[in-house]
Amino acid sequence: MPTVALDTALSPAEAERLEALHDQAILDTPPSPDFDALARLAAQACDAPVAGIGLLDRDRLWFKARVGALPAELPASACLAEETAQALGGLLCVPDLSDDSRFQIHPVRTACPEWRFYAGAVIHDEAGHALGVVSVASPEARQLDAGQRQALADVARLAWHAIDAHAQRRTLARQAITDPLTGLANRAHF
């Protein structure tokens, strides 16, 4: 299993979170219909032209699925994943980024200058690690109603299940071609 190299700049909790993310072996994988469907669902439920399912690596937010004008990844400093993770209940809703003092000089304003509205829900694994975020954005300032907030949180929960299913399929595929005793390729592999 992948491990995160010990780095004194990382807190033990962040190193553990990154190891949990890397153990899923999902970063930089090709697009997937399951994740694409979840991103579309988030966009539709929140009536937003931009949506993404992003996984927060050490230096970047990489999008497994995207709807609308969203780059393939954002520098970690220019995304709102950390602010979303710290928000009450793991859900952040910013009606107008340009009018919110917390984000006046935030790098997201440079990376995505067309965004005014942003909402995100954290993707937590079973151990509670914040692996990423399901986010929606729009060039118009606006709010989410209670149903839309719940839908965004639900999509984040479903995103975790899709990540877990991806990891389980990978494990099963590896077990199908590997001898359990030696770890070497088995007859099926040959």
Side-chain angles (χ1 to χ4, degrees):
M1 289 193 172
T3 58
V4 176
L6 185 58
D7 185 338
T8 56
L10 292 178
S11 70
E14 178 63 2
E16 185 178 311
R17 185 195 74 75
L18 285 170
E19 186 165 355
L21 173 63
H22 291 197
D23 283 349
Q24 302 305 317
I26 196 164
L27 289 171
D28 300 311
T29 57
S32 160
D34 293 343
F35 289 94
D36 293 343
L38 289 172
R40 284 192 307 273
L41 183 61
Q44 291 169 355
C46 296
D47 193 28
V50 175
I53 298 175
L55 300 169
L56 187 59
D57 202 358
R58 181 184 170 134
D59 298 320
R60 66 188 175 137
L61 179 68
W62 174 75
F63 290 99
K64 175 68 176 163
R66 303 176 282 155
V67 171
L70 189 62
E73 63 183 53
L74 287 170
S77 63
C79 75
L80 296 172
E82 190 172 311
E83 289 82 356
T84 302
Q86 294 171 357
L88 183 62
L91 189 120
L92 176 66
C93 186
V94 183
D96 190 345
L97 287 164
S98 64
D99 195 38
D100 191 315
S101 61
R102 297 173 296 173
F103 304 107
Q104 290 293 319
I105 58 171
H106 193 282
V108 74
R109 302 289 298 135
T110 304
C112 302
E114 66 283 357
W115 290 5
R116 287 196 59 203
F117 163 76
Y118 168 87
V122 177
I123 301 168
H124 286 105
D125 70 3
E126 293 167 344
H129 300 110
L131 301 183
V133 63
V134 175
S135 55
V136 293
S138 175
E140 292 87 30
R142 53 180 291 232
Q143 279 279 9
L144 291 182
D145 64 32
Q148 291 171 317
R149 287 174 181 259
Q150 184 61 57
L152 194 59
D154 290 345
V155 171
R157 204 168 6 269
L158 291 171
W160 158 245
H161 290 294
I163 291 167
D164 188 46
H166 165 84
Q168 288 180 19
R169 281 190 303 271
R170 185 176 159 271
T171 298
L172 289 172
R174 187 175 52 245
Q175 288 174 346
I177 62 169
T178 306
D179 179 77
L181 182 61
T182 65
L184 299 174
N186 64 15
R187 290 181 73 165
H189 182 73
F190 290 112

